[in-house]
Amino acid sequence: AQRVTQPEKLLSVFKGAPVELKCNYSYSGSPELFWYVQYSRQRLQLLLRHISRESIKGFTADLNKGETSFHLKKPFAQEEDSAMYYCALMGGNQFYFGTGTSLTVIP
Amino acid sequence: NAGVMQNPRHLVRRRGQEARLRCSPMKGHSHVYWYRQLPEEGLKFMVYLQKENIIDESGMPKERFSAEFPKEGPSILRIQQVVRGDSAAYFCASSPGTRYEQFFGPGTRLTVL
């Protein structure tokens, strides 16, 4: 069965510290992986997708097929990064979302 | 482009009543997705529609729930005879095609008393 797991519900880091939000998936085919972000009082929006290999707002994510992971990383966290982050997998017609990780960056 | 619109933003219903949630996709988008977010859970896919067609409803409960996306007008998610367990946030997303980024609406928070 397709599944996306985000093991951390809450994550707090200090400003300037590195941050990693974990995402593991299970999918029988070739998945497309995404990270979505929801800032306070805003709607869910796409942060990045693995096929584009971009760095958005300093965030990167590498698809590791061996470990079936798609962790989101940023070397130096900023206060404005505080938000809810969702990892998502696209398979067939559907998006499968993880339960989300709430990131708080402490000034 | 106003983005994906959902209304109402908040909806309160008593048990047994009907709830109708509306979603207007972004201009030029013909694909609409509905998701439900229960407390403490992630977004769960419910249904995927294109104009006048249901493409995938594998995430929809078999009873009381239905969705449509008519040729004209918004997509509607309809919940008949609501129960307390239907209380959740319902999100709509739209895209121009199957393998494109989905753009999300602000959600409708349904509370069943």
Side-chain angles (χ1 to χ4, degrees):
Chain A
Q2 295 83 356
R3 183 184 294 179
V4 177
T5 303
Q6 293 180 251
E8 302 140 328
K9 262 188 148 174
L10 303 169
L11 183 63
S12 295
V13 300
F14 285 100
K15 178 182 172 181
V19 61
E20 180 179 67
L21 291 86
K22 291 185 168 52
C23 171
N24 288 90
Y25 68 91
S26 62
Y27 184 67
S28 54
S30 276
E32 285 193 51
L33 277 299
F34 302 77
W35 277 97
Y36 277 79
V37 62
Q38 188 172 29
Y39 300 103
S40 179
R41 295 192 177 86
Q42 295 186 27
R43 61 186 69 189
L44 202 62
Q45 56 187 286
L46 180 68
L47 180 62
L48 54 79
R49 57 194 304 177
H50 89 271
I51 59 171
S52 61
R53 294 185 170 275
E54 293 174 297
S55 172
I56 306 293
K57 298 185 179 183
F59 284 98
T60 58
D62 290 318
L63 179 60
N64 186 324
K65 291 186 178 179
E67 295 182 358
T68 60
S69 68
F70 188 56
H71 303 328
L72 184 68
K73 299 177 185 178
K74 184 169 182 177
F76 308 104
Q78 303 298 315
E79 287 178 68
E80 56 265 29
D81 296 330
S82 294
M84 193 75 177
Y85 291 81
Y86 292 93
C87 181
L89 175 157
M90 183 167 70
N93 292 322
Q94 295 190 27
F95 265 70
Y96 302 89
F97 282 85
T99 49
T101 298
S102 177
L103 173 66
T104 301
V105 179
I106 304 164
Chain B
N1 199 331
V4 178
M5 308 291 285
Q6 287 187 252
N7 67 82
R9 294 292 307 277
H10 300 274
L11 183 61
V12 179
R13 285 287 178 266
R14 296 190 182 281
R15 279 180 296 170
Q17 291 184 319
E18 179 180 284
R20 290 170 75 88
L21 288 65
R22 293 174 186 76
C23 169
S24 297
M26 285 181 71
K27 190 175 180 182
H29 288 191
S30 58
H31 297 239
V32 166
Y33 306 80
W34 284 94
Y35 296 87
R36 178 165 64 174
Q37 185 176 38
L38 293 167
E40 305 299 314
E41 294 188 21
L43 290 164
K44 292 253 173 76
F45 167 82
M46 298 182 76
V47 62
Y48 162 39
L49 309 105
Q50 294 181 30
K51 284 283 186 183
E52 300 183 276
N53 287 306
I54 297 174
I55 306 302
D56 184 342
E57 57 181 348
S58 57
M60 286 272 273
K62 293 287 184 282
E63 296 176 354
R64 302 188 297 108
F65 285 73
S66 63
E68 62 177 11
F69 188 18
K71 190 176 179 182
E72 302 290 337
S75 175
I76 308 282
L77 179 67
R78 185 177 173 213
I79 311 172
Q80 295 178 291
Q81 298 176 314
V82 295
V83 301
R84 288 225 173 98
D86 297 332
S87 296
Y90 292 83
F91 291 91
C92 165
S94 75
S95 74
T98 307
R99 302 193 78 76
Y100 289 80
E101 169 190 353
Q102 294 186 10
F103 293 81
F104 280 80
T108 293
R109 188 162 298 277
L110 172 65
T111 302
V112 180
L113 302 177

